[in-house]
Amino acid sequence: MMKGNKPSVLVVEDDVPIRNLITTTLEMEKYKFDTAENGNQAIMLAAANNPDIILMDLGLPDIDGIEVIRKIRTWSVAPIIVISARSDEKDKVSALDVGADDYLTKPFSVTELSARLRATTRRIQYIMHADNTNESVFKNGNLEIDYSAGVVKVSGEEVHLMPLEYSLLCLLAQNIGKVLTYRFILEKVWQNGITSDISSLRVYMASLRKKLEKDKEHSAYIQTHIGVGYRMVSAEDIS
């Protein structure tokens, strides 16, 4: 991941003017990129080149973008930013549920696209440097985070998290016992977080909790403070 200073990007977009706008922006900001015009090509390039970030249109000519995301997620944890004309909240939630990391609605500005890319790059760097704590391994009851390896285990069994889920978990772990407000989490993990991203945060937090709570005897690692934010609870408090 991120072999150079700039991440590599896969652009999946069948609309030529929009694809040209995106690639021109990427060229100006010196990103390396590949382009795909349909879902099958996107899956092939994602598998062959292992991009750092994927920009994904949903309205593709052969396969719906939701299904493309679902297939790519079977092997890749690269952040996926959806760029779509579908503005309905159900479409946004569906994309986030299958593994998208962010959602940009058409029409969009070059400035906003650039900001989303910078925020995603910072998230990648956050994950890569999540071992900047004094301990390389965090333990809380049956939950274990090996920062150096980027591995999360519950009761000794590895839990596979998406990049944004891992970032959220690391942030909570590094502030165990503290209530983190929505705004604080969005600023730290989304970087360009705004109030409207709270719905996305809730989707990801629900997904993260579901993955951590397979052991029902220890199902309260993450506590919701309604209207405020989230807190990681110490195993001592759980017991």
Side-chain angles (χ1 to χ4, degrees):
M1 185 179 284
M2 281 193 64
K3 303 155 191 74
N5 293 328
K6 289 281 189 176
S8 59
V9 181
L10 172 60
V11 180
V12 186
E13 174 61 72
D14 66 314
D15 186 294
V16 176
I18 294 178
R19 188 170 68 244
N20 288 342
L21 173 64
I22 294 171
T23 56
T24 299
T25 302
L26 294 174
E27 285 177 346
M28 288 176 58
E29 301 196 10
K30 304 188 185 311
Y31 288 92
K32 295 179 180 179
F33 63 88
D34 289 305
T35 60
E37 300 177 12
N38 57 58
N40 283 310
Q41 191 177 9
I43 293 168
M44 180 187 69
L45 288 174
N49 299 337
N50 192 28
D52 295 313
I53 299 173
I54 300 172
L55 299 178
M56 172 73 65
D57 181 26
L58 296 183
L60 300 172
D62 55 346
I63 308 174
D64 188 78
I66 295 289
E67 184 59 29
V68 176
I69 294 171
R70 184 180 286 112
K71 290 185 176 182
I72 290 176
R73 275 287 172 255
T74 61
W75 79 85
S76 174
V77 294
I80 298 175
I81 302 175
V82 168
I83 299 179
S84 177
R86 302 177 191 175
S87 57
D88 191 280
E89 187 174 345
K90 290 182 180 179
D91 291 313
K92 181 175 182 179
V93 171
S94 295
L96 295 171
D97 276 343
V98 297
D101 292 80
D102 202 351
Y103 200 103
L104 187 59
T105 304
K106 298 176 183 175
F108 58 89
S109 68
V110 169
T111 302
E112 185 175 11
L113 174 61
S114 297
R116 299 296 179 105
L117 286 167
R118 288 195 300 273
T120 303
T121 299
R122 287 192 291 266
R123 282 208 301 275
I124 295 172
Q125 292 169 338
Y126 180 89
I127 292 170
M128 292 174 66
H129 299 291
D131 59 346
N132 60 357
T133 58
N134 293 329
E135 298 291 335
S136 62
V137 177
F138 168 87
K139 291 184 179 181
N140 182 26
N142 289 347
L143 172 65
E144 179 180 311
I145 307 171
D146 185 334
Y147 293 120
S148 59
V151 173
V152 176
K153 293 182 180 179
V154 175
S155 300
E157 182 180 346
E158 184 173 348
V159 179
H160 297 283
L161 302 180
M162 291 184 292
L164 203 146
E165 292 171 340
Y166 182 74
S167 295
L168 288 170
L169 181 60
C170 288
L171 182 64
L172 288 166
Q174 290 162 8
N175 293 276
I176 186 168
K178 299 178 182 177
V179 178
L180 305 185
T181 65
Y182 298 133
R183 179 178 293 277
F184 179 83
I185 296 171
L186 290 172
E187 287 177 351
K188 289 292 184 181
V189 178
W190 262 255
Q191 296 291 338
N192 62 329
I194 54 176
T195 305
S196 61
D197 284 325
I198 290 177
S199 59
S200 301
L201 172 59
R202 287 175 177 149
V203 170
Y204 275 98
M205 200 63 78
S207 174
L208 174 60
R209 293 180 70 167
K210 185 177 180 180
K211 292 178 180 180
L212 297 180
E213 294 173 6
K214 291 181 180 179
D215 180 357
K216 295 302 179 184
E217 293 183 2
H218 299 280
S219 60
Y221 286 116
I222 300 174
Q223 187 179 76
T224 301
H225 290 256
I226 298 173
V228 180
Y230 300 92
R231 174 173 75 108
M232 176 172 284
V233 182
S234 169
E236 296 178 359
D237 294 335
I238 295 174
S239 59

